[in-house]
Amino acid sequence: MEPSWSLHMLSEILSAFSTEDPDNLRNVLNRVAESVDAEVAAILCAGQIDWCIGLSEADQTHLVQQAQQQPTDIQIRSGALHTCWAPMGRRDVLFVGRLGERFDLEERALLRAMARSIELSIKMLRAVSSERQARKDAYQQATHDALTGLPNRRMVLDRLRSAIDHPVGDESLVTAVLFIDIDRFKWINDAHGHAAGDQLLIHVSRILKDAVRHGDLVGRLSGDEFIVITRTSDRNAASELARRIIAAIRQPLRVAGSELSHTVSIGISFAHAGDNPSSVLENADMAMYRAKALGRGRYASFHSSMRLQAQQRLSLEEALGHAVGNGEITTHLQPLFRLSDNTLSGFEALVRWQHPQLGLLLPGAFLEQAEDSGLIQDIDMTVFEAACSAIAQWQQIAGLEHLRLSSNLSARSLADPRVKERIKVILETTGIQPTNVYLEITETTLVEDIESTVSTINALRALNVRLAIDDFGTGYSSLLYLKRFPVGVLKIDRSFVNGLGMNPEDEVIATTIVSLARALELEVVAEGVENQMQLERIRELGGDYGQGYLFGRTLSIGDTERSFIAPRRPTAALLTTP
Ligand code: C2E
Ligand code: CA
Ligand code: CA
């Protein structure tokens, strides 16, 4: 057996097997037979006719039956077939010579040797391909995200680096990075379970893949953060892509039995020659933060001024940890007016952070961090307690006995089993009238993790406090809870109040909410009433209460006392005389 010949065969076999063609074995065996120059009439492999030439059906059947005994000669009708038995791994291969032709010794040796080499080759091939697969798997794992199959952070950075280092010839093309973050993903995950969260992630990854062009890269950085790397001829094209992605993801998706519509916030940055890939990502991340701060569901492009803000945000997170204990978390109040007679009916407590360096911060600047870090429960209770103790005192004043307090409760507070006890203690120690206490939760909060939510809600029911549904109309509505839970108030989100008298859609939504509230015997508070026209319209529609700049802005407890309470004290006249 010449070595070159054997090598040649081996390469034939390898190439035949690597194509994963079901006819491979047959082809290989044929090649084997051809290569030994033997006149082969048939090849049996594992007891089955694999290939045959010029044998009748009856002879083939006879051949198969005889083959089990591994004979050297088989008698068929037209004469004797001489065979060569060649074991090949677990398969038994029988080469059958042409009628009357014997395989000579050399041919037999070659056929057996070839069969063995095929067996070896198959083994080798399996080993090689399983090793190759393992290496491929390892590479896939190291560079891709298991859930969505998208390139991971490492590969995103690699690709970004090569895009920066090897710009394509065309000078006019720039590399744009889109940093895409699903809004309120934490909530979706908590409320609908991780399986639903995963489904959403996969959904978003598909939309992104559909939105980009061939050659662009879509990756997943971590959690709900995705990246698109694209080459564009002008900066507007990147914004256009961001707009398309936002619009596509906004389309409702059925998750865990309910229709959810989602938004993403996108930050855009551009890579320049010599840039560090990580900082290009960071820039896009900062721009994404800006998009969120502007109200989510939109995009923003990076600007160098954002770096400073990002540093502030980081230190903000640290400082928030101390703020609660340091008494920097303060409670402000915004008045609520009854529309029928324009009288003060109560206040909503709104948190403020008196930051030692940055001054008075609004909730938008720190609530998300508070939720993420789990400080929100403490903040909610701090605000609630301060508001209760102020209002409990004011309820002592003649004519203000029914002063209401509305205080916000975050999803995490509602799900925290310790919170109900803290609320109970606060109600008792401050002595506020519980029936005039409303805890505001957003409609999305209610459907969240129903088990822990229900336990808190039942405790609140037992305490005689009531629920107000905040930002009604903006969330994931399930009207069932309005009946099932002790809900007393619906608050029409200010985005709808804003368009009253001008925008027909807002009119329809506000009208629907009011009639829904009527049917369920709930009161309606219109939020964000800023002008007389809105006030008139909400009155006409039948709203019960109004809140907004028209009635009064948010003030500290002290300022609230001076502006709204002092004038109503019986002794007001005395106090105001110099
Ligand atoms: P919200 O509960 O919907 O509170 C109403 C927000 O609208 C307040 O913003 C208020 O200042 C603002 N607002 C009131 N009237 C008007 C108006 O006429 N026009 C406009 N444009 N805005 C008006 P703020 O204080 O920045 O609070 C923002 C959000 O932060 C609140 O929205 C609430 O969801 C959350 N929040 C505030 N305090 C707390 C708290 O103690 N705990 C929790 N969990 N969330 C809170
Ligand atoms: Ca509220
Ligand atoms: Ca609200």
Side-chain angles (χ1 to χ4, degrees):
M1 225 192 319
E2 287 176 38
S4 61
W5 179 87
S6 159
L7 279 177
H8 168 75
M9 274 308 299
L10 201 64
S11 80
E12 289 264 313
I13 292 162
L14 285 172
S15 70
F17 274 91
S18 59
T19 60
E20 306 221 357
D21 183 340
D23 288 337
N24 272 342
L25 190 59
R26 169 173 316 155
N27 295 337
V28 170
L29 292 174
N30 277 331
R31 295 282 299 141
V32 169
E34 259 173 45
S35 65
V36 298
D37 238 3
E39 294 288 322
V40 176
I43 299 167
L44 270 75
C45 182
Q48 304 246 317
I49 299 249
D50 192 75
W51 175 86
C52 117
I53 186 167
L55 291 180
S56 69
E57 287 279 325
D59 285 346
Q60 288 182 30
T61 315
H62 185 65
L63 192 62
V64 172
Q65 282 163 3
Q66 295 294 303
Q68 278 149 21
Q69 283 112 51
Q70 305 181 0
T72 5
D73 299 308
I74 299 169
Q75 289 299 321
I76 59 167
R77 240 180 313 161
S78 12
L81 289 171
H82 303 287
T83 64
C84 168
W85 173 249
M88 198 185 85
R90 271 171 295 150
R91 284 197 190 88
D92 298 325
V93 179
L94 197 64
F95 292 93
V96 181
R98 290 279 168 86
L99 205 59
E101 304 246 354
R102 282 179 188 277
F103 294 111
D104 62 26
L105 270 180
E106 199 191 11
E107 283 169 352
R108 281 173 192 273
L110 284 176
L111 284 172
R112 291 198 178 122
M114 285 316 302
R116 250 198 322 277
S117 93
I118 293 172
E119 183 200 343
L120 273 176
S121 308
I122 292 173
K123 274 191 189 149
M124 254 167 56
L125 206 75
R126 291 224 173 100
V128 167
S129 64
S130 81
E131 194 201 303
R132 197 187 290 151
Q133 190 59 44
R135 243 185 297 139
K136 228 167 149 182
D137 288 352
Y139 177 77
Q140 177 80 14
Q141 258 176 31
T143 56
H144 287 75
D145 157 53
L147 178 70
T148 59
L150 291 178
N152 64 9
R153 174 183 289 272
R154 182 178 139 189
M155 189 159 172
V156 164
L157 284 172
D158 280 357
R159 277 286 296 271
L160 194 52
R161 181 169 291 115
S162 69
I164 294 169
D165 293 348
H166 311 286
V168 281
D170 193 344
E171 290 276 303
S172 66
L173 287 182
V174 285
T175 298
V177 172
L178 275 65
F179 196 112
I180 299 133
D181 187 284
I182 303 176
D183 296 324
R184 299 173 51 83
F185 180 72
K186 226 185 186 55
W187 176 82
I188 295 161
N189 226 2
D190 289 350
H192 296 275
H194 286 270
D198 285 356
Q199 207 181 323
L200 176 61
L201 291 171
I202 292 168
H203 172 71
V204 168
S205 75
R206 290 207 185 113
I207 287 180
L208 293 179
K209 278 191 274 187
D210 286 348
V212 302
R213 281 169 316 183
H214 180 72
D216 291 349
L217 177 111
V218 177
R220 180 175 172 213
L221 279 198
S222 64
D224 59 335
E225 296 170 347
F226 294 86
I227 288 290
V228 168
I229 301 174
T230 178
R231 290 207 200 256
T232 59
S233 51
D234 69 314
R235 287 163 177 257
N236 290 337
S239 308
E240 179 49 41
L241 177 60
R243 265 195 294 274
R244 269 195 289 128
I245 290 172
I246 289 168
I249 291 174
R250 212 184 276 278
Q251 299 303 315
L253 165 75
R254 274 200 86 75
V255 167
S258 34
E259 285 253 305
L260 301 187
S261 76
H262 307 281
T263 55
V264 288
S265 299
I266 301 182
I268 304 172
S269 70
F270 296 92
H272 306 281
D275 274 352
N276 176 337
S278 303
S279 47
V280 177
L281 281 194
E282 269 168 32
N283 292 349
D285 186 10
M286 280 178 243
M288 186 278 294
Y289 255 97
R290 166 58 56 85
K292 281 212 192 272
L294 290 173
R296 303 189 177 119
R298 59 187 75 205
Y299 68 90
S301 295
F302 174 74
H303 186 271
S304 53
S305 67
M306 292 177 184
R307 281 212 166 264
L308 188 69
Q309 291 160 3
Q311 280 158 8
Q312 287 172 348
R313 203 168 49 234
L314 256 186
S315 47
L316 209 67
E317 256 174 54
E318 281 173 40
L320 189 59
H322 313 293
V324 182
N326 285 352
E328 292 169 20
I329 297 299
T330 62
T331 303
H332 282 218
L333 298 172
Q334 186 180 31
L336 223 88
F337 275 71
R338 188 160 62 210
L339 298 179
S340 58
D341 55 5
N342 239 351
T343 54
L344 176 74
S345 77
F347 298 94
E348 174 175 0
L350 292 159
V351 65
R352 296 292 181 264
W353 178 7
Q354 189 63 56
H355 190 285
Q357 281 91 40
L358 301 172
L360 193 69
L361 298 181
L362 295 178
F366 60 90
L367 269 195
E368 208 167 306
Q369 283 102 320
E371 299 239 358
D372 289 351
S373 57
L375 287 165
I376 188 69
Q377 293 97 311
D378 281 342
I379 291 177
D380 280 351
M381 290 303 103
T382 305
V383 170
F384 182 58
E385 180 162 28
C388 279
S389 69
I391 299 216
Q393 285 179 28
W394 300 339
Q395 282 176 345
Q396 308 297 316
I397 301 166
L400 295 182
E401 299 87 349
H402 302 293
L403 211 56
R404 296 175 166 211
L405 167 65
S406 240
S407 204
N408 296 283
L409 211 55
S410 86
R412 290 192 71 157
S413 290
L414 203 65
D416 186 337
R418 294 166 306 173
V419 163
K420 49 184 183 247
E421 188 54 34
R422 292 175 73 174
I423 292 176
K424 182 167 182 259
V425 170
I426 291 171
L427 291 175
E428 284 167 5
T429 52
T430 59
I432 192 169
Q433 264 299 323
T435 45
N436 288 320
V437 171
Y438 290 79
L439 289 168
E440 299 194 0
I441 47 193
T442 58
E443 38 183 356
T444 36
T445 303
L446 265 191
V447 281
E448 173 153 319
D449 182 16
I450 208 79
E451 302 275 300
S452 35
T453 307
V454 159
S455 124
T456 306
I457 287 174
N458 286 337
L460 295 179
R461 196 198 304 267
L463 292 171
N464 279 327
V465 302
R466 283 196 274 177
L467 298 180
I469 308 297
D470 208 351
D471 308 342
F472 192 78
T474 59
Y476 309 96
S477 298
S478 152
L479 295 181
L480 264 187
Y481 60 66
L482 296 180
K483 271 269 163 232
R484 209 182 286 156
F485 299 136
V487 175
V489 166
L490 297 185
K491 299 190 80 174
I492 305 182
D493 189 64
R494 71 163 182 270
S495 60
F496 306 124
V497 175
N498 192 34
L500 284 185
M502 279 149 36
N503 180 339
E505 273 178 35
D506 289 349
E507 290 260 326
V508 169
I509 292 169
T511 310
T512 311
I513 295 174
V514 172
S515 61
L516 183 74
R518 285 286 91 80
L520 296 166
E521 296 175 11
L522 305 174
E523 291 172 336
V524 174
V525 176
E527 299 191 300
V529 179
E530 292 181 353
N531 59 45
Q532 206 59 39
M533 178 171 68
Q534 293 163 346
L535 175 62
E536 294 306 321
R537 269 314 277 155
I538 197 70
R539 259 206 194 107
E540 282 164 24
L541 292 176
D544 303 290
Y545 300 92
Q547 184 182 345
Y549 296 165
L550 183 66
F551 300 105
R553 293 196 177 239
T554 305
L555 298 173
S556 67
I557 291 179
D559 286 341
T560 303
E561 158 109 45
R562 277 182 282 281
S563 302
F564 290 96
I565 305 300
R568 289 172 171 82
R569 285 187 194 272
T571 48
L574 291 176
L575 286 177
T576 44
T577 19

Short mmCIF file of all heavy atoms in Angstrom, two decimals, residues 464-508:
data_model
loop_
_atom_site.label_atom_id
_atom_site.label_comp_id
_atom_site.label_asym_id
_atom_site.label_seq_id
_atom_site.Cartn_x
_atom_site.Cartn_y
_atom_site.Cartn_z
N ASN A 464 -57.78 51.11 57.52
CA ASN A 464 -58.74 52.12 57.05
C ASN A 464 -58.16 53.21 56.17
O ASN A 464 -58.77 54.25 55.99
CB ASN A 464 -59.45 52.81 58.23
CG ASN A 464 -60.59 51.95 58.72
OD1 ASN A 464 -61.22 51.25 57.92
ND2 ASN A 464 -60.84 52.00 60.02
N VAL A 465 -56.95 52.99 55.65
CA VAL A 465 -56.44 53.97 54.70
C VAL A 465 -56.86 53.52 53.31
O VAL A 465 -57.23 52.37 53.10
CB VAL A 465 -54.91 54.14 54.76
CG1 VAL A 465 -54.47 54.54 56.14
CG2 VAL A 465 -54.21 52.89 54.31
N ARG A 466 -56.82 54.46 52.36
CA ARG A 466 -57.26 54.10 51.02
C ARG A 466 -56.18 54.31 49.99
O ARG A 466 -55.17 54.95 50.24
CB ARG A 466 -58.52 54.89 50.67
CG ARG A 466 -59.71 54.26 51.40
CD ARG A 466 -60.99 54.71 50.82
NE ARG A 466 -61.39 55.95 51.44
CZ ARG A 466 -62.48 56.61 51.05
NH1 ARG A 466 -63.23 56.16 50.06
NH2 ARG A 466 -62.81 57.72 51.66
N LEU A 467 -56.43 53.76 48.84
CA LEU A 467 -55.46 53.86 47.76
C LEU A 467 -55.92 54.88 46.72
O LEU A 467 -57.11 55.02 46.47
CB LEU A 467 -55.30 52.52 47.05
CG LEU A 467 -54.77 51.35 47.86
CD1 LEU A 467 -54.68 50.11 46.99
CD2 LEU A 467 -53.38 51.69 48.43
N ALA A 468 -54.96 55.57 46.16
CA ALA A 468 -55.23 56.42 44.99
C ALA A 468 -54.37 55.87 43.86
O ALA A 468 -53.22 55.51 44.08
CB ALA A 468 -54.86 57.86 45.28
N ILE A 469 -54.97 55.76 42.70
CA ILE A 469 -54.18 55.28 41.56
C ILE A 469 -53.58 56.49 40.86
O ILE A 469 -54.29 57.34 40.32
CB ILE A 469 -55.02 54.47 40.56
CG1 ILE A 469 -55.79 53.37 41.29
CG2 ILE A 469 -54.13 53.90 39.48
CD1 ILE A 469 -54.92 52.34 41.96
N ASP A 470 -52.27 56.55 40.92
CA ASP A 470 -51.51 57.70 40.41
C ASP A 470 -51.28 57.57 38.91
O ASP A 470 -51.24 56.45 38.38
CB ASP A 470 -50.16 57.72 41.12
CG ASP A 470 -49.60 59.13 41.22
OD1 ASP A 470 -50.17 60.05 40.61
OD2 ASP A 470 -48.59 59.29 41.93
N ASP A 471 -51.12 58.69 38.26
CA ASP A 471 -50.79 58.72 36.82
C ASP A 471 -51.73 57.82 36.03
O ASP A 471 -51.32 57.12 35.09
CB ASP A 471 -49.35 58.24 36.57
CG ASP A 471 -48.33 58.98 37.42
OD1 ASP A 471 -48.68 60.07 37.92
OD2 ASP A 471 -47.21 58.49 37.58
N PHE A 472 -53.00 57.81 36.41
CA PHE A 472 -53.93 56.88 35.79
C PHE A 472 -54.00 57.13 34.29
O PHE A 472 -54.11 58.26 33.83
CB PHE A 472 -55.32 56.98 36.42
CG PHE A 472 -56.22 55.85 36.01
CD1 PHE A 472 -56.09 54.61 36.60
CD2 PHE A 472 -57.18 56.02 35.02
CE1 PHE A 472 -56.89 53.54 36.22
CE2 PHE A 472 -57.98 54.96 34.62
CZ PHE A 472 -57.84 53.72 35.23
N GLY A 473 -53.99 56.05 33.54
CA GLY A 473 -54.06 56.15 32.08
C GLY A 473 -52.72 55.96 31.41
O GLY A 473 -52.65 55.75 30.21
N THR A 474 -51.63 56.00 32.18
CA THR A 474 -50.32 55.89 31.54
C THR A 474 -49.76 54.49 31.64
O THR A 474 -48.80 54.16 30.97
CB THR A 474 -49.28 56.82 32.20
OG1 THR A 474 -49.17 56.47 33.58
CG2 THR A 474 -49.71 58.26 32.08
N GLY A 475 -50.34 53.66 32.50
CA GLY A 475 -49.68 52.38 32.77
C GLY A 475 -50.40 51.20 32.15
O GLY A 475 -51.12 51.33 31.18
N TYR A 476 -50.19 50.08 32.74
CA TYR A 476 -50.76 48.84 32.25
C TYR A 476 -52.05 48.61 33.03
O TYR A 476 -52.03 48.11 34.13
CB TYR A 476 -49.79 47.69 32.47
CG TYR A 476 -48.42 47.98 31.95
CD1 TYR A 476 -47.43 48.46 32.80
CD2 TYR A 476 -48.13 47.82 30.61
CE1 TYR A 476 -46.17 48.73 32.32
CE2 TYR A 476 -46.86 48.09 30.13
CZ TYR A 476 -45.89 48.55 30.99
OH TYR A 476 -44.65 48.82 30.51
N SER A 477 -53.15 48.97 32.43
CA SER A 477 -54.39 48.94 33.19
C SER A 477 -54.98 47.55 33.27
O SER A 477 -55.05 46.83 32.31
CB SER A 477 -55.43 49.83 32.52
OG SER A 477 -54.96 51.13 32.53
N SER A 478 -55.39 47.22 34.47
CA SER A 478 -56.24 46.06 34.63
C SER A 478 -57.34 46.57 35.54
O SER A 478 -57.11 46.90 36.69
CB SER A 478 -55.47 44.92 35.28
OG SER A 478 -56.37 44.12 35.99
N LEU A 479 -58.54 46.68 34.99
CA LEU A 479 -59.60 47.35 35.76
C LEU A 479 -60.06 46.51 36.95
O LEU A 479 -60.67 47.01 37.87
CB LEU A 479 -60.78 47.67 34.84
CG LEU A 479 -60.41 48.69 33.77
CD1 LEU A 479 -61.60 49.01 32.89
CD2 LEU A 479 -59.87 49.96 34.39
N LEU A 480 -59.72 45.23 36.91
CA LEU A 480 -60.11 44.34 38.00
C LEU A 480 -59.71 44.88 39.37
O LEU A 480 -60.48 44.84 40.32
CB LEU A 480 -59.43 42.99 37.81
CG LEU A 480 -60.23 41.90 37.13
CD1 LEU A 480 -59.45 40.60 37.19
CD2 LEU A 480 -61.59 41.75 37.79
N TYR A 481 -58.47 45.38 39.44
CA TYR A 481 -57.98 45.78 40.76
C TYR A 481 -58.75 46.95 41.34
O TYR A 481 -58.81 47.16 42.53
CB TYR A 481 -56.47 46.06 40.74
CG TYR A 481 -56.04 47.17 39.80
CD1 TYR A 481 -56.42 48.48 40.02
CD2 TYR A 481 -55.23 46.90 38.71
CE1 TYR A 481 -56.02 49.49 39.18
CE2 TYR A 481 -54.83 47.90 37.86
CZ TYR A 481 -55.24 49.19 38.09
OH TYR A 481 -54.86 50.19 37.25
N LEU A 482 -59.36 47.74 40.45
CA LEU A 482 -60.11 48.90 40.95
C LEU A 482 -61.27 48.43 41.82
O LEU A 482 -61.66 49.08 42.77
CB LEU A 482 -60.65 49.72 39.78
CG LEU A 482 -59.57 50.37 38.90
CD1 LEU A 482 -60.21 51.16 37.78
CD2 LEU A 482 -58.68 51.27 39.74
N LYS A 483 -61.81 47.29 41.47
CA LYS A 483 -62.92 46.71 42.24
C LYS A 483 -62.38 45.98 43.46
O LYS A 483 -62.94 46.02 44.54
CB LYS A 483 -63.68 45.71 41.36
CG LYS A 483 -64.79 46.37 40.57
CD LYS A 483 -66.07 46.31 41.39
CE LYS A 483 -67.13 47.24 40.92
NZ LYS A 483 -67.66 48.10 41.98
N ARG A 484 -61.29 45.27 43.24
CA ARG A 484 -60.83 44.33 44.25
C ARG A 484 -60.11 45.00 45.42
O ARG A 484 -60.13 44.51 46.53
CB ARG A 484 -59.89 43.33 43.57
CG ARG A 484 -59.89 41.98 44.22
CD ARG A 484 -58.92 41.06 43.54
NE ARG A 484 -59.37 40.57 42.25
CZ ARG A 484 -58.53 40.16 41.30
NH1 ARG A 484 -57.22 40.21 41.48
NH2 ARG A 484 -58.99 39.71 40.15
N PHE A 485 -59.43 46.09 45.13
CA PHE A 485 -58.63 46.74 46.16
C PHE A 485 -59.34 47.99 46.70
O PHE A 485 -60.21 48.53 46.03
CB PHE A 485 -57.26 47.09 45.60
CG PHE A 485 -56.47 45.89 45.14
CD1 PHE A 485 -55.78 45.89 43.95
CD2 PHE A 485 -56.43 44.75 45.92
CE1 PHE A 485 -55.05 44.78 43.53
CE2 PHE A 485 -55.72 43.62 45.52
CZ PHE A 485 -55.02 43.65 44.32
N PRO A 486 -58.94 48.42 47.88
CA PRO A 486 -59.61 49.60 48.45
C PRO A 486 -59.20 50.90 47.78
O PRO A 486 -58.63 51.78 48.40
CB PRO A 486 -59.16 49.56 49.92
CG PRO A 486 -57.86 48.84 49.91
CD PRO A 486 -57.93 47.85 48.79
N VAL A 487 -59.50 51.00 46.49
CA VAL A 487 -59.14 52.19 45.75
C VAL A 487 -60.25 53.23 45.92
O VAL A 487 -61.42 52.91 45.76
CB VAL A 487 -58.96 51.87 44.25
CG1 VAL A 487 -58.72 53.13 43.44
CG2 VAL A 487 -57.82 50.88 44.05
N GLY A 488 -59.86 54.45 46.27
CA GLY A 488 -60.86 55.49 46.45
C GLY A 488 -60.76 56.58 45.40
O GLY A 488 -61.71 57.31 45.17
N VAL A 489 -59.59 56.68 44.78
CA VAL A 489 -59.32 57.84 43.92
C VAL A 489 -58.55 57.42 42.67
O VAL A 489 -57.66 56.59 42.74
CB VAL A 489 -58.47 58.88 44.70
CG1 VAL A 489 -57.88 59.92 43.77
CG2 VAL A 489 -59.30 59.56 45.79
N LEU A 490 -58.94 58.03 41.55
CA LEU A 490 -58.11 57.92 40.35
C LEU A 490 -57.51 59.28 40.08
O LEU A 490 -58.22 60.29 40.09
CB LEU A 490 -58.95 57.51 39.13
CG LEU A 490 -59.64 56.16 39.13
CD1 LEU A 490 -60.29 55.91 37.77
CD2 LEU A 490 -58.64 55.05 39.44
N LYS A 491 -56.22 59.32 39.83
CA LYS A 491 -55.58 60.59 39.49
C LYS A 491 -55.27 60.60 37.99
O LYS A 491 -54.49 59.77 37.51
CB LYS A 491 -54.29 60.77 40.29
CG LYS A 491 -54.52 60.80 41.79
CD LYS A 491 -53.28 61.22 42.54
CE LYS A 491 -53.10 62.73 42.51
NZ LYS A 491 -51.98 63.17 43.36
N ILE A 492 -55.92 61.51 37.29
CA ILE A 492 -55.68 61.60 35.84
C ILE A 492 -54.31 62.20 35.63
O ILE A 492 -54.01 63.30 36.11
CB ILE A 492 -56.71 62.50 35.14
CG1 ILE A 492 -58.13 62.02 35.45
CG2 ILE A 492 -56.47 62.53 33.64
CD1 ILE A 492 -59.19 62.86 34.74
N ASP A 493 -53.49 61.49 34.91
CA ASP A 493 -52.13 61.95 34.69
C ASP A 493 -52.10 63.32 34.02
O ASP A 493 -52.94 63.62 33.17
CB ASP A 493 -51.38 60.94 33.82
CG ASP A 493 -49.89 61.28 33.77
OD1 ASP A 493 -49.26 61.21 34.83
OD2 ASP A 493 -49.40 61.62 32.68
N ARG A 494 -51.10 64.11 34.40
CA ARG A 494 -51.10 65.46 33.90
C ARG A 494 -50.86 65.56 32.39
O ARG A 494 -51.18 66.56 31.78
CB ARG A 494 -50.11 66.34 34.66
CG ARG A 494 -48.68 66.08 34.42
CD ARG A 494 -47.87 67.28 34.92
NE ARG A 494 -46.46 67.07 34.67
CZ ARG A 494 -45.65 66.48 35.53
NH1 ARG A 494 -46.11 66.05 36.67
NH2 ARG A 494 -44.39 66.33 35.24
N SER A 495 -50.34 64.48 31.80
CA SER A 495 -50.15 64.54 30.35
C SER A 495 -51.50 64.63 29.63
O SER A 495 -51.58 65.18 28.53
CB SER A 495 -49.36 63.32 29.88
OG SER A 495 -50.04 62.15 30.21
N PHE A 496 -52.56 64.10 30.23
CA PHE A 496 -53.89 64.19 29.62
C PHE A 496 -54.55 65.53 29.95
O PHE A 496 -55.25 66.11 29.14
CB PHE A 496 -54.79 63.04 30.06
CG PHE A 496 -54.17 61.69 29.82
CD1 PHE A 496 -54.02 60.79 30.87
CD2 PHE A 496 -53.71 61.32 28.57
CE1 PHE A 496 -53.43 59.55 30.67
CE2 PHE A 496 -53.12 60.08 28.35
CZ PHE A 496 -52.99 59.20 29.41
N VAL A 497 -54.31 65.96 31.20
CA VAL A 497 -54.90 67.24 31.62
C VAL A 497 -54.33 68.37 30.77
O VAL A 497 -55.03 69.32 30.40
CB VAL A 497 -54.62 67.48 33.12
CG1 VAL A 497 -55.11 68.84 33.56
CG2 VAL A 497 -55.26 66.37 33.95
N ASN A 498 -53.06 68.21 30.46
CA ASN A 498 -52.35 69.21 29.68
C ASN A 498 -53.08 69.58 28.38
O ASN A 498 -53.16 70.75 28.01
CB ASN A 498 -50.96 68.65 29.36
CG ASN A 498 -50.04 69.69 28.81
OD1 ASN A 498 -50.14 70.86 29.21
ND2 ASN A 498 -49.17 69.31 27.90
N GLY A 499 -53.65 68.58 27.71
CA GLY A 499 -54.27 68.84 26.40
C GLY A 499 -55.76 69.16 26.47
O GLY A 499 -56.40 69.31 25.43
N LEU A 500 -56.30 69.24 27.67
CA LEU A 500 -57.74 69.49 27.79
C LEU A 500 -58.12 70.80 27.12
O LEU A 500 -57.45 71.82 27.29
CB LEU A 500 -58.17 69.52 29.26
CG LEU A 500 -58.28 68.16 29.94
CD1 LEU A 500 -58.81 68.32 31.35
CD2 LEU A 500 -59.15 67.20 29.13
N GLY A 501 -59.21 70.76 26.35
CA GLY A 501 -59.65 71.96 25.66
C GLY A 501 -58.92 72.17 24.35
O GLY A 501 -59.26 73.05 23.57
N MET A 502 -57.88 71.37 24.09
CA MET A 502 -57.10 71.55 22.86
C MET A 502 -56.94 70.27 22.07
O MET A 502 -57.16 70.22 20.88
CB MET A 502 -55.70 72.09 23.20
CG MET A 502 -55.67 73.59 23.43
SD MET A 502 -54.42 74.10 24.61
CE MET A 502 -53.08 73.00 24.30
N ASN A 503 -56.57 69.22 22.78
CA ASN A 503 -56.26 67.96 22.11
C ASN A 503 -57.42 66.98 22.27
O ASN A 503 -57.72 66.54 23.37
CB ASN A 503 -54.97 67.40 22.72
CG ASN A 503 -54.55 66.09 22.09
OD1 ASN A 503 -55.36 65.38 21.49
ND2 ASN A 503 -53.29 65.76 22.24
N PRO A 504 -58.10 66.62 21.16
CA PRO A 504 -59.28 65.76 21.24
C PRO A 504 -58.97 64.40 21.89
O PRO A 504 -59.80 63.87 22.62
CB PRO A 504 -59.68 65.55 19.77
CG PRO A 504 -58.92 66.54 18.98
CD PRO A 504 -57.77 67.01 19.78
N GLU A 505 -57.78 63.86 21.64
CA GLU A 505 -57.44 62.56 22.23
C GLU A 505 -57.42 62.64 23.76
O GLU A 505 -57.93 61.78 24.46
CB GLU A 505 -56.07 62.10 21.76
CG GLU A 505 -56.10 61.34 20.46
CD GLU A 505 -54.71 60.96 20.01
OE1 GLU A 505 -53.86 60.66 20.87
OE2 GLU A 505 -54.48 60.98 18.78
N ASP A 506 -56.79 63.71 24.26
CA ASP A 506 -56.73 63.89 25.71
C ASP A 506 -58.13 64.06 26.28
O ASP A 506 -58.45 63.57 27.37
CB ASP A 506 -55.87 65.12 26.06
CG ASP A 506 -54.40 64.84 25.79
OD1 ASP A 506 -54.07 63.67 25.55
OD2 ASP A 506 -53.60 65.79 25.82
N GLU A 507 -58.98 64.76 25.54
CA GLU A 507 -60.36 64.96 25.97
C GLU A 507 -61.06 63.62 26.13
O GLU A 507 -61.74 63.36 27.12
CB GLU A 507 -61.12 65.80 24.94
CG GLU A 507 -60.65 67.24 24.89
CD GLU A 507 -61.58 68.16 25.67
OE1 GLU A 507 -62.80 67.89 25.66
OE2 GLU A 507 -61.09 69.11 26.28
N VAL A 508 -60.85 62.76 25.13
CA VAL A 508 -61.49 61.44 25.15
C VAL A 508 -61.00 60.64 26.35
O VAL A 508 -61.78 60.04 27.09
CB VAL A 508 -61.23 60.69 23.84
CG1 VAL A 508 -61.67 59.23 23.96
CG2 VAL A 508 -61.94 61.35 22.69
#
